Amino acid sequence: MERALWSSVSGMSAQQLSLDTIANNLANVNTTSFKGSQIRFQDMLYSVLKTPGATSGDAEVPTGTQIGYGTRVSEISKSFKQGSLKETNRDLDIAIEGDGFFEVILPDGTSAYTRDASFHTTNAGEVVTVDGYKVAGFDAIDQGTTEITIAGDGSFSSIVNGSQVPKTRLTLTLFTNPEGLRAMGRNLYQPTESSGPAQSGNNPGENGSGFLAQRYLENSNVNPAQEMVNMIVTQRAYEANSKAIRASDDMLEVANSLRR
């Protein structure tokens, strides 16, 4: 009965983390380029009362007796599947159709990476994120620019005082394991040992990188209906574990009352 108590406690703790994950996904259902999180579980250590394959007299035990001690969260990872695109008609809104990230420069000089390309310009013409971080490899926008054109392959030009001015081609950064990136918030990621180093300088549409879609942004890839179903399943699992604790407590109460 004590095993049941601790197993149920681990189950309730795991389902609480699951609900936290679902709540964060739902909170970001309208966040540009947000990538939903997925939680996975593993069973915990087992108490082996009889080892499978052990001998009992002259016979071999085919299955044995093993009692588990509950569950634990094995990972909470990001799903980088493509989100749908929405049209914005802003020249500096760029969606990535496929794999890849834009590199941005943080105030301390380090790099971070984002798929939220809702860019803006400063009074000096520098292209920055909504938080003011400079976008690496993005040429400044000249004074007098009336139109910006960015092709799917990253080709970039602008119309300045009626004349076309070619710009440096935009490139994307890839990672061997994007699920290993560290989420910083603000739609930014930083590489880790698990993600591998940043593979920068990839032309859109080449080396496995996606194409660019100007005047579009990528929506969150969270499916609200699926998250609601996950929330119901999580709630029911939490309730079931709490009932197992109550049942174990009732059985212990009965056992303790046998002396009276």
Side-chain angles (χ1 to χ4, degrees), residues 99-179:
D99 295 335
F101 298 82
F102 286 102
E103 181 182 357
V104 300
I105 308 301
L106 300 179
D108 62 1
T110 59
S111 294
Y113 301 87
T114 184
R115 287 179 63 90
D116 178 7
S118 51
F119 297 145
H120 300 267
T121 58
T122 65
N123 56 8
E126 284 191 337
V127 178
V128 297
T129 67
V130 293
D131 294 305
Y133 303 143
K134 187 180 185 306
V135 183
F138 211 124
D139 285 352
I141 305 301
D142 303 307
Q143 293 292 330
T145 298
T146 56
E147 185 180 346
I148 296 171
T149 301
I150 300 171
D153 64 356
S155 300
F156 176 24
S157 64
S158 61
I159 303 297
V160 182
N161 298 323
S163 300
Q164 186 175 21
V165 178
K167 299 285 187 179
T168 303
R169 187 176 187 177
L170 300 182
T171 60
L172 297 174
T173 299
L174 298 175
F175 293 92
T176 303
N177 175 31
E179 291 184 355

Side-chain angles (χ1 to χ4, degrees), residues 68-101:
Y69 279 91
T71 186
R72 71 180 185 91
V73 174
S74 60
E75 67 171 8
I76 301 177
S77 61
K78 287 285 187 181
S79 168
F80 280 90
K81 71 178 182 179
Q82 180 75 44
S84 61
L85 304 186
K86 63 178 178 181
E87 188 173 7
T88 64
N89 293 316
R90 286 189 67 252
D91 285 348
L92 289 178
D93 282 347
I94 309 168
I96 303 173
E97 295 184 274
D99 295 335
F101 298 82

Side-chain angles (χ1 to χ4, degrees), residues 12 14-15 22 24 28 39-40 93 119 155 162 180 185 205 208 211 219 260:
M12 292 178 73
Q15 296 308 320
I22 293 168
N24 184 60
N28 286 281
I39 188 168
R40 293 180 176 85
D93 282 347
F119 297 145
S155 300
F211 290 93
N219 287 320
R260 299 195 210 106

Side-chain angles (χ1 to χ4, degrees), residues 2 16 19 32 40 46-47 58 65 68 88 113-114 120-121 128-129 154 174 178 202 238 242 253:
E2 188 175 347
Q16 180 61 60
L19 186 60
T32 301
R40 293 180 176 85
Y46 283 78
S47 175
D58 296 330
T65 304
T88 64
Y113 301 87
T114 184
H120 300 267
T121 58
V128 297
T129 67
L174 298 175
N202 295 279
Y238 191 90
S242 67
E253 184 180 1

